[in-house]
Amino acid sequence: MCQFATGFHLAINERRPACPAYSRVDADMTDTQIFPKLEIPETIAAGPGPGNTDARVLASFANSGLADHMQADVLRGMVECKLMLRQLWGTDNLHTFGVAGTGFSGLDVMFNAILPGDRVVAFTNGTFSGLDGLAIRMKAATAQELAAEPLNPQAASVTVIEIPHGTSIDAATIEAALATHAPKWAFMAHWETGSGRTNDVRGFSDACEKHDVMGMVDAVSSLGVADFRIDDYPGIVAWASCPQKGVCCLPLTYAPVSFADRYIEALKAGGARSYVHHPLLEARHWGIVDGKDVEAGSYHRTHSGYAVAAFHEALRITLQHTVARRARDYAFHEKVLRQAVTAMGCEVTSDMTSLVVLNLPGDFAGREKELVQTCRAQGFGIWPTLSEPVQVRIGILNLLTPAAITDIVNRFAQAMRGLGAKVDQSAIDAVLARHYRSAIAAE
Ligand SMILES: *Cc1c(COP(=O)(O)O)cnc(C)c1O
């Protein structure tokens, strides 16, 4: 097809060769490039996230009427979401709301209280906390530090404590670092999805309290999966999560955040260098104004009624299921998946309940990406790790049924056989039967 087919293009490309198609009556068919309608297949989202979105969430998105962001039911929906979010997080924090976008959007709002020169200790143990550490260095860097290395500033006021991939961050490490550095802020991920490790959030909160440090936590992977109440962790003043993992609302909606009064006071004193991602200004649209809940929010930026309806339904589903029940279901099914892949000769190095991170049997080490690519090409969406070492990650977000886990196990076994592994199906079937016989009988 000739790419210079329109009069406009010919005019500005006069010296280009004439295009024979231009003389045809249907020349306009060739001018702007319109692709066939985009069809995205249904895949099994068996990775670290996004999780499988409930049909009720998608129906709410699609069936909501067109309404602007100040229409009464949209505003009421946002206020109700705010109230449900407080229950989901287990908090009385007034400043609990959603930030339009993904996990990093909520994290950015949280990190916006960090100002250039602020002293921060950031604990990292994998891809995501590593990126959070980068975001923190970008906020805390002085103008000179940022200019010296704009995409990777080395901020002298930030201490990054790097814990190796595959290792959890423990209380002793946190305690020692906070005692030594006495920062204003400390940061850690609750669950590090890159390496599949859970970190000691109790030890983190206690050390923050003891050393009068304000703790910030990336709870992107744990909210809606783990059974925890943030008000049980008084040393942690700021939390941020995402829509599409434990809350299962991939029609990208809102990243839940929650800020304690101490964080808000620090923010009021120091300000933040953002209008759109300012925690106090963003909160207004959710009906949190001047330290009080108000009946309806006031304009901060445009919100989508479709997104509000979808998010509202996702929160209703989560609370109906209950956080405690979800946490038990994740733990139960993760154990089955873990035992099944262990029966295939894999070594599991993670301790999250929504994700299994594993090493292939020795003979197949180095072929992780090949295995993952083969699975993905067949609509079985597992993942490799994104930073070294290369491992395989299989997630079960919202895949909490014997049928779903059995399918994942059998597909993974098939892929292993494709690599040339000898996988004993009867051993796998025995694991599945042992855990699921009564569950299947009850269905
Ligand atoms: C997924 C993830 C993120 C990034 O979230 P996005 O929604 O991709 O922006 C950050 N931190 C952790 C711990 C995660 O698991």
Side-chain angles (χ1 to χ4, degrees):
M1 190 187 294
C2 177
Q3 59 184 132
F4 308 116
T6 67
F8 175 72
H9 278 127
L10 284 175
I12 61 167
N13 292 295
E14 271 162 351
R15 270 175 252 146
R16 309 254 178 164
C19 171
Y22 184 56
S23 59
R24 288 171 46 192
V25 177
D26 62 353
D28 59 338
M29 296 289 287
T30 64
D31 57 10
T32 43
Q33 201 174 12
I34 298 177
F35 297 96
K37 184 169 179 289
L38 178 65
E39 308 272 1
I40 294 176
E42 186 70 22
T43 68
I44 302 166
N52 288 269
T53 297
D54 196 287
R56 275 169 57 186
V57 171
L58 297 177
S60 285
F61 190 94
N63 297 332
S64 148
L66 173 65
D68 64 51
H69 50 285
M70 298 311 286
Q71 190 272 345
D73 296 300
V74 175
L75 290 176
R76 177 174 58 86
M78 291 178 75
V79 166
E80 289 173 1
C81 285
K82 168 184 75 178
L83 299 175
M84 288 194 279
L85 277 174
R86 289 184 191 152
Q87 297 171 63
L88 177 61
W89 279 116
T91 186
D92 291 332
N93 283 344
L94 180 78
H95 290 88
T96 301
F97 53 92
V99 176
T102 69
F104 281 129
S105 310
L107 286 156
D108 192 58
V109 169
M110 176 170 86
F111 293 145
N112 268 336
I114 299 175
L115 297 173
D118 273 5
R119 290 169 61 84
V120 189
V121 171
F123 300 92
T124 67
N125 64 326
T127 311
F128 293 105
S129 48
L131 293 171
D132 291 331
L134 171 59
I136 288 168
R137 288 186 281 113
M138 286 170 158
K139 305 280 183 195
T142 62
Q144 290 83 348
E145 287 167 340
L146 189 60
E149 211 177 330
L151 292 183
N152 188 27
Q154 305 303 315
S157 64
V158 178
T159 305
V160 178
I161 311 275
E162 264 182 68
I163 309 297
H165 175 109
T167 306
S168 290
I169 300 166
D170 61 32
T173 305
I174 298 164
E175 163 62 31
L178 298 195
T180 306
H181 299 285
K184 177 177 181 183
W185 308 100
F187 166 80
M188 187 180 78
H190 187 191
W191 288 9
E192 169 48 78
T193 326
S195 54
R197 298 298 303 188
T198 68
N199 295 323
D200 187 348
V201 75
R202 165 62 54 208
F204 183 74
S205 176
D206 289 351
C208 286
E209 256 195 300
K210 179 171 164 199
H211 297 286
D212 196 23
V213 173
M214 289 187 282
M216 296 178 153
V217 164
D218 172 343
V220 169
S221 250
S222 54
L223 183 68
V225 179
D227 188 7
F228 68 102
R229 294 178 51 82
I230 67 178
D231 282 358
D232 292 339
Y233 300 97
I236 302 165
V237 300
W239 300 75
S241 189
C242 80
Q244 79 280 9
K245 285 175 180 161
V247 178
C248 303
C249 199
L250 181 60
L252 273 186
T253 56
Y254 292 104
V257 293
S258 184
F259 306 120
D261 290 348
R262 255 179 92 207
Y263 171 98
I264 296 295
E265 290 312 314
L267 181 73
K268 278 188 187 155
R273 294 176 185 273
S274 173
Y275 164 76
V276 67
H277 274 177
H278 194 299
L280 285 173
L281 302 182
E282 184 91 283
R284 289 185 179 174
H285 213 126
W286 299 84
I288 305 162
V289 183
D290 292 336
K292 287 192 294 291
D293 277 327
V294 297
E295 210 148 291
S298 52
Y299 174 74
H300 173 245
R301 58 165 154 160
T302 303
H303 288 269
S304 148
Y306 307 117
V308 170
F311 188 53
H312 191 278
E313 192 63 8
L315 293 173
R316 277 167 34 80
I317 291 170
T318 309
L319 293 176
Q320 281 166 348
H321 193 181
T322 77
V323 172
R325 181 68 210 268
R326 270 168 109 79
R328 281 204 302 279
D329 289 353
Y330 275 109
F332 172 65
H333 290 291
E334 188 268 351
K335 190 170 74 186
V336 181
L337 176 58
R338 168 185 295 263
Q339 289 181 7
V341 297
T342 303
M344 295 177 211
C346 299
E347 180 204 9
V348 176
T349 62
S350 53
D351 67 349
M352 283 172 54
T353 56
S354 54
L355 182 70
V356 163
V357 181
L358 58 86
N359 293 321
L360 293 178
D363 292 351
F364 303 98
R367 297 180 67 189
E368 296 81 7
K369 286 189 175 158
E370 175 191 341
L371 173 87
V372 165
Q373 278 317 320
T374 308
C375 292
R376 293 181 66 82
Q378 293 161 6
F380 174 38
I382 63 172
W383 282 68
T385 48
L386 298 178
S387 46
E388 297 295 315
V390 182
Q391 295 183 284
V392 176
R393 295 186 294 165
I394 310 175
I396 58 169
L397 288 171
N398 211 20
L399 291 166
L400 301 173
T401 63
I405 302 296
T406 300
D407 184 42
I408 288 172
V409 165
N410 286 331
R411 282 172 184 267
F412 190 70
Q414 201 50 42
M416 294 271 294
R417 287 189 193 100
L419 281 190
K422 289 201 176 39
V423 174
D424 176 2
Q425 187 66 37
S426 64
I428 301 167
D429 290 342
V431 170
L432 294 169
R434 185 160 71 243
H435 295 286
Y436 287 152
R437 195 173 288 130
S438 55
I440 289 167
E443 266 178 13

